[in-house]
Amino acid sequence: MKPRIAHPYSLLAILLLFVLMVQARLWAPYWDTHNVQAILTWDAMGYYIYLPAHFIYDDLGHMSFAQDIMREYQPSSSFYQAFQVPGGPEGMLVTKYTCGLALLWTPFFFIGHWAAGWLGYPQDGFSVPYQVAIAFGGLLFALLGLGLLRRVLLRYFSDVVTTLVLVLLVLGSNYFQYAVFDAAMAHNYLFTGYALLLWLTIRWHERPTRLGAFFIGLTLGLLVLIRPSEAVAAVIPLLWNVGSMAAVRAKLELLKARWQDVLLLVLGGFLGVLPQALYWHWATGHFLFYSYGDQHFSFFKPHLWSVLFSFRKGWLLYSPLLLLPLAGLVVLWRSRRDLAVPVLVFVLLNLWVVSAWDIWWYGGSIGQRALVQSYAVLALPWAAVVAWLLQPERRRVLQLAAVAVVVLLVDLNLFQHWQYMRSIINPEEMNRRYYFAVFNKSMPTQSDFAMLDVKTHLPESERHYTPTLLGKLDFENQPTDAATGISADMGYYSRQSFHADAAHAYGPALSIRVGDAKLEPGQYVRASCRVFSDYGAWGNKLVMSVDRGGKSIVWNAIRLQNNLSVNRAWNQVYFDAPIPEDAQPDDILKVYVLSENGSGCYIDEVQAELMKPKAGW
């Protein structure tokens, strides 16, 4: 007796995954804030700005409303999402990002606009209802993408295999981040576009139709409209079912016989990219325009190793479970070469293009976000290796080992997502020493966070050292003066402190002569201070240097803001560094605060301590 619902396990899995993603989205409701945690920020603002500019402000050319939005919501540190048209009229702007996402967001934008008016929020394009509409619009596109991918996988694999691949893809990779928390970025929508392209390609090759060919072209055009580098997707329909030279000849004969379908595919692709060409012509006078300025591809110098394995943004370091579909390419090659050829060519070509981008780390992200959309294609070799592992003839030990490894890697992925959302994993500046310092930690220490910025740390645990004060600067006996930054507004012990801001780049320095302090090469000194800020001491650093003849021979600094910082409270920031091996008695040890156009904050209790090893260490 056939089940009432075909393939029930994969269907149930998608529904449960969707509920989980909605719950996760509600766990982090960014739209409650008026700062950069809102969803329509940074690059996402650039994709989105077409909609409020056209439908609310009728000002797509000059975008004069943007300054009010920047002041009210602070979606990014500057309005870099649009720039002056080269050679155009003064004040005429062109957007950096293409309009594909804005096109997909249009219905959600209007829902948000209606809700803003109904609920009494500002109808300015960025208030709470717009944020909510775009956030949940992204979840709906994720549901659509997973549903389409399910249909693709079920063409070749069992319901159980399909279920396992969908669950592992969502929970075991950084797709989760971009389907849920950063759903206003392009990757979730591109993933859905790739799933649609696969499904349309399969349908056309099973039963060629003109309408099917047109929609393949339109989907390709839309992928390019969202992100021009996705033109690599064209190899998927082009090489589909091509697993041998005989298949190549058969494909050429098919395309020759169905030449009208080819023309319609090209027409669909042209219509897909046409909106951007029309906008560029309206804004710049050119149908083709490069809007990324001095950011380019270096195709002969790709950053392959950094993209795959670096601690900063290594794809396989932060999503190690993706080794599974890479291994599945071998299985797919042996079992279904007609599928393996287009998948392998796409994976290699896409990896090359992603690695060739000069800014190969792609800004703030967990792992390599530029590869997230390709997971829809990688799902095929992923399913192939899962099916291979589930075959009855496989050794039980191998299957149990695979299950154990997969469970551990899924757990690692979800925990690292949690760390990323808690700002423990830094979105841009991870390094080897900091990665291992915070690995599997839910509560890193100040010493851990210092490793983001300095290469040195105490050789042993802090409990094996006794701090001895070398000097302290508490600003209590200094006259208050706006020119020097000494303020009587507040202090850690007294009412006085130093106010660091853009007007006071260098704070008063605690200076200690190395010989007077009897410091020896290799001894560790701890630099520390107390910092108070309303919304974070961003752009400010604590510096410790050793100077000789007025020039620094050693210079270390850490940021004053990290995940331990509490707004509107006095926080202690510190780090440890050794006295250089070539230190001389007349060298000067300095500890001070540097403001690199940072936000205003109060500094007190600047001090240096010698970290003496306890007896026996």
Side-chain angles (χ1 to χ4, degrees):
M1 182 177 179
K2 292 184 178 180
R4 294 182 180 181
I5 300 177
H7 314 297
Y9 299 121
S10 56
L11 179 60
L12 178 62
I14 284 181
L15 295 177
L16 291 177
L17 288 170
F18 180 69
V19 171
L20 174 64
M21 289 190 291
V22 170
Q23 181 60 46
R25 174 72 265 183
L26 293 174
W27 169 62
Y30 286 176
W31 52 79
D32 281 353
T33 63
H34 267 55
N35 57 32
V36 294
Q37 287 187 333
I39 191 170
L40 294 173
T41 60
W42 301 99
D43 291 2
M45 179 187 179
Y47 289 115
Y48 172 79
I49 202 166
Y50 290 92
L51 295 171
H54 179 67
F55 292 111
I56 296 178
Y57 302 99
D58 192 24
D59 185 17
L60 190 57
H62 295 85
M63 300 187 193
S64 56
F65 66 92
Q67 297 308 314
D68 292 334
I69 298 301
M70 296 295 295
R71 182 170 53 254
E72 178 67 19
Y73 298 99
Q74 301 174 357
S76 56
S77 58
S78 64
F79 185 53
Y80 67 88
Q81 294 85 354
F83 57 94
Q84 169 69 42
V85 174
E90 182 66 27
M92 182 65 177
L93 303 183
V94 60
T95 60
K96 178 179 179 179
Y97 301 95
T98 50
C99 64
L101 282 183
L103 189 65
L104 297 180
W105 281 332
T106 302
F108 306 112
F109 167 80
F110 280 114
I111 291 173
H113 191 66
W114 165 81
W118 182 49
L119 297 172
Y121 284 90
Q123 288 184 302
D124 56 8
F126 288 84
S127 61
V128 171
Y130 299 94
Q131 308 277 353
V132 175
I134 298 301
F136 281 91
L139 287 172
L140 290 176
F141 264 89
L143 178 63
L144 174 62
L146 293 174
L148 287 168
L149 184 59
R150 170 179 175 265
R151 299 193 66 175
V152 169
L153 293 176
L154 287 172
R155 294 278 178 157
Y156 307 105
F157 304 99
S158 69
D159 190 30
V160 172
V161 170
T162 299
T163 300
L164 290 173
V165 171
L166 292 173
V167 171
L168 294 180
L169 190 154
V170 174
L171 301 183
S173 75
N174 54 344
Y175 169 82
F176 191 80
Q177 179 69 32
Y178 294 95
V180 179
F181 304 117
D182 290 327
M185 297 298 288
H187 314 289
N188 173 40
Y189 298 86
L190 290 169
F191 175 93
T192 299
Y194 273 100
L196 176 61
L197 178 64
L198 287 169
W199 183 65
L200 290 172
T201 298
I202 293 169
R203 291 286 300 270
W204 186 87
H205 283 82
E206 290 177 347
R207 186 180 178 183
T209 64
R210 295 175 183 175
L211 187 62
F214 174 79
F215 280 114
I216 289 174
L218 190 63
T219 302
L220 285 171
L222 184 58
L223 290 173
V224 174
L225 187 65
I226 295 174
R227 194 171 177 177
S229 59
E230 303 306 324
V232 296
V235 302
I236 295 173
L238 180 64
L239 298 180
W240 199 259
N241 278 356
V242 176
S244 64
M245 290 306 300
V248 171
R249 291 190 290 270
K251 186 66 174 284
L252 291 174
E253 289 297 324
L254 176 62
L255 295 179
K256 183 178 178 180
R258 306 285 307 185
W259 63 270
Q260 293 175 321
D261 293 35
V262 176
L263 291 180
L264 285 170
L265 186 149
V266 173
L267 175 62
F270 173 77
L271 293 177
V273 300
L274 183 60
Q276 191 63 41
L278 293 176
Y279 165 74
W280 278 338
H281 187 266
W282 172 81
T284 71
H286 304 283
F287 285 108
L288 289 177
F289 176 75
Y290 190 78
S291 60
Y292 278 78
D294 58 355
Q295 299 173 4
H296 298 280
F297 288 97
S298 298
F299 290 109
F300 296 105
K301 294 181 180 180
H303 308 273
L304 286 170
W305 180 266
S306 296
V307 165
L308 290 174
F309 302 112
S310 71
F311 283 89
R312 185 175 187 179
K313 288 292 177 66
W315 179 45
L316 297 177
L317 181 72
Y318 290 96
S319 296
L321 194 58
L322 270 298
L323 285 167
L324 204 58
L326 293 184
L329 286 169
V330 177
V331 179
L332 195 64
W333 184 268
R334 292 177 176 177
S335 59
R336 289 296 303 266
R337 192 160 298 185
D338 56 329
L339 302 183
V341 169
V343 170
L344 180 59
V345 172
F346 167 79
V347 168
L348 294 176
L349 184 59
N350 184 58
L351 180 60
W352 192 270
V353 171
V354 167
S355 302
W357 187 240
D358 289 341
I359 307 176
W360 60 266
W361 58 94
Y362 290 87
S365 65
I366 179 169
Q368 270 296 330
R369 63 181 175 91
L371 291 170
V372 168
Q373 53 266 33
S374 67
Y375 299 169
V377 181
L378 283 170
L380 289 167
W382 204 329
V385 73
V386 170
W388 181 85
L389 285 168
L390 291 179
Q391 289 175 0
E393 59 267 27
R394 299 291 162 245
R395 292 186 178 182
R396 192 69 173 172
V397 173
L398 175 62
Q399 292 176 331
L400 291 175
V403 169
V405 170
V406 165
V407 169
L408 288 174
L409 292 182
V410 168
D411 179 68
L412 174 64
N413 182 71
L414 293 176
F415 182 70
Q416 288 191 334
H417 272 70
W418 181 87
Q419 286 184 310
Y420 180 76
M421 296 300 293
R422 287 286 186 258
S423 299
I424 296 172
I425 288 182
N426 189 277
E428 285 204 64
E429 302 170 40
M430 292 293 292
N431 56 55
R432 179 192 296 268
R433 57 187 179 274
Y434 179 69
Y435 177 87
F436 286 114
V438 301
F439 185 81
N440 207 32
K441 283 187 179 180
S442 59
M443 287 295 292
T445 65
Q446 173 60 41
S447 296
D448 294 330
F449 281 110
M451 292 187 195
L452 268 175
D453 300 308
V454 297
K455 297 181 179 180
T456 58
H457 57 88
L458 294 174
E460 303 293 339
S461 173
E462 288 187 37
R463 69 177 183 272
H464 300 306
Y465 294 85
T466 300
T468 301
L469 185 66
L470 297 173
K472 181 169 67 172
L473 192 60
D474 57 17
F475 310 106
E476 290 184 15
N477 299 319
Q478 299 187 33
T480 59
D481 188 346
T484 62
I486 305 301
S487 168
D489 292 340
M490 63 173 60
Y492 182 63
Y493 283 121
S494 65
R495 292 296 300 175
Q496 290 197 185
S497 61
F498 169 70
H499 188 256
D501 54 26
H504 303 93
Y506 294 90
L510 170 64
S511 299
I512 302 171
R513 186 174 173 272
V514 169
D516 293 342
K518 299 180 180 180
L519 296 173
E520 298 179 1
Q523 290 184 314
Y524 275 80
V525 174
R526 171 166 293 181
S528 65
C529 72
R530 299 282 178 171
V531 57
F532 183 101
S533 62
D534 288 332
Y535 302 107
W538 303 102
N540 298 284
K541 293 181 177 180
L542 175 65
V543 179
M544 179 167 61
S545 66
V546 177
D547 294 2
R548 181 181 302 161
K551 295 183 179 180
S552 296
I553 60 172
V554 174
W555 192 94
N556 287 293
I558 62 167
R559 66 201 75 191
L560 295 185
Q561 183 71 23
N562 61 48
N563 196 51
L564 296 175
S565 302
V566 178
N567 290 341
R568 298 173 184 172
W570 285 100
N571 302 285
Q572 186 182 37
V573 178
Y574 64 83
F575 69 96
D576 305 295
I579 298 298
E581 294 296 329
D582 62 343
Q584 299 176 8
D586 288 334
D587 292 342
I588 304 299
L589 176 73
K590 288 186 176 181
V591 181
Y592 59 94
V593 167
L594 172 65
S595 179
E596 298 177 321
N597 199 29
S599 57
C601 61
Y602 294 94
I603 306 297
D604 207 350
E605 298 293 302
V606 177
Q607 63 183 33
E609 297 170 288
L610 174 62
M611 303 299 288
K612 286 186 176 181
K614 294 181 179 178
W617 289 93

